[in-house]
Amino acid sequence: MFRWCTDEVEPRDRFDYWREVRAKGLFGVTAELERERRADFFGEFSLRQLGGAGLVELKASPYAVERSNSDIAYAPGDSICVYQQLGSGGWFGGMRASDFSIGSGSFATSHTDLPYRTAPLGAGGFHLRILKIPVSSIPAQDKRMRELAPRTFNDPALAPLLAACFADLGEAAADDATADATSLVQALAHLALIERGIVRPGSRRGQAALRTARLSQARRLIVRHLQNPDLVPTMVADQLGVSVRHLHMLFETAEKSFSQTVTDERLKQSRRLMREAPDRLIADVATACGFESLATYYRVFNAAYGMAPGDFRAKGSDGG
């Protein structure tokens, strides 16, 4: 992964360097900021290649961005972009479609090689993630993919699935889970194309993307409700809006079943709690993670790790 921050440059040169080397050279956009505001400029970003796509996270103080026809000619991208707004919100304009704003936590999609302008809303500046997926890597080839002007992701049924895949992609990147990243990138590409009317939800690729996304959302629902001892398939299926049978079918394609996933996540959470709160009673840790009894927790923990929870804690405190 590549990381860069303006702290590496003299203050008087920070915005100029950001504009010429990072904005234009790396991202293919034109950055604009009034000269009197440049002395306080700050920007940082990370870039990671995974699953055949590029994932960028960017934070910067406010400035204006334009991707003009000359920028596109200078640095063509031919990619589908999925943006996740993390900061105080942003504005997009200058396209064939109408201007729009995007709130924190929301998504937008576009093709890289159509002109636009954007700026953050409020004084918080930019904070967003951008996933760039090359069109050549997307199996569902369609010329309409190159006609996707920036637009918010508005489908209320698909948006939670997109969010779950995006969150899982970040975790796959942190864990270097290459195979998971590839399937998640393809799912994100096809979810974007479903929302834009280019891929049919009932098509083979549409169904594959929806299965991947629902599995991601199911896993995230499990993590969210770990403390609940009544975390059962019916509860998760209801929140997903699918049948229990369909939920089990989703996990049939995964490495672990529903019940194995619940147990695994509870064990991982218990290990985190013991590391973070070494004086906390093990019985409290077991309850906090949703185990029905202390005896069950000991039995499952020993089966998974070959030691009792107390031994794991002692090993950690000894630096092992």
Side-chain angles (χ1 to χ4, degrees), residues 6 17 23 45 47 49 90 170 179 197 205 219 226 233 280 289 294 296 305-306:
T6 49
Y17 189 92
F45 70 90
L47 171 62
Q49 298 293 328
R205 293 191 176 103
R219 287 170 170 159
L226 280 181
R280 189 170 182 177
C289 296
L294 186 59
T296 298
Y305 304 120

Side-chain angles (χ1 to χ4, degrees), residues 53-295:
L55 180 63
V56 174
E57 182 164 351
L58 181 147
K59 296 180 183 178
S61 46
Y63 66 103
V65 174
E66 180 178 9
R67 182 140 166 87
S68 65
N69 286 318
S70 60
D71 291 324
I72 294 165
Y74 173 76
D78 198 24
S79 298
I80 299 297
C81 279
V82 181
Y83 307 84
Q84 183 182 26
Q85 186 71 34
L86 299 174
S88 55
W91 167 87
F92 279 84
M95 301 87 61
R96 285 174 289 178
S98 59
D99 297 1
F100 66 88
S101 60
I102 177 170
S104 181
S106 297
F107 293 88
T109 55
S110 74
H111 186 271
T112 52
D113 298 346
L114 293 173
Y116 67 87
R117 294 193 303 273
T118 185
L121 295 173
F126 284 107
H127 185 191
L128 68 158
R129 292 193 187 106
I130 309 167
L131 181 67
K132 286 188 175 183
I133 310 165
V135 167
S136 60
S137 73
I138 302 172
Q141 291 294 311
D142 190 302
K143 64 180 182 179
R144 291 175 294 172
M145 288 194 287
R146 295 183 172 90
E147 300 171 358
L148 299 179
R151 196 179 80 184
T152 50
F153 199 96
N154 292 318
D155 190 317
L158 291 177
L161 299 176
L162 192 80
C165 283
F166 223 95
D168 276 2
L169 184 63
E171 293 179 6
D175 296 338
D176 290 324
T178 306
D180 290 344
T182 300
S183 64
L184 288 165
V185 165
Q186 288 299 315
L188 283 160
H190 287 99
L191 287 173
L193 295 175
I194 290 171
E195 200 267 346
R196 301 298 288 262
I198 294 175
V199 169
R200 291 182 297 105
S203 69
R204 180 172 57 85
R205 293 191 176 103
Q207 286 293 311
L210 290 168
R211 281 195 300 271
T212 298
R214 285 179 180 136
L215 181 59
S216 283
Q217 192 180 17
R219 287 170 170 159
R220 304 200 78 78
L221 286 169
I222 286 170
V223 171
R224 192 181 308 163
H225 296 286
L226 280 181
Q227 190 173 1
N228 187 344
D230 297 323
L231 176 56
V232 293
T234 306
M235 173 183 170
V236 175
D238 286 346
Q239 294 196 34
L240 271 181
V242 300
S243 67
V244 173
R245 180 175 178 273
H246 185 84
L247 178 70
H248 284 303
M249 288 174 63
L250 293 176
F251 279 90
E252 283 176 5
T253 63
E255 185 179 336
K256 297 173 182 175
S257 68
F258 178 91
S259 61
Q260 289 170 332
T261 300
V262 171
T263 299
D264 186 57
E265 292 295 341
R266 282 177 168 158
L267 287 171
K268 287 194 293 186
Q269 173 72 350
S270 76
R271 291 176 62 173
R272 282 194 293 269
L273 290 179
M274 282 192 286
R275 283 193 295 263
E276 293 167 3
D279 296 328
R280 189 170 182 177
L281 292 174
I282 289 177
D284 288 344
V285 170
T287 300
C289 296
F291 286 97
E292 60 186 23
S293 70
L294 186 59

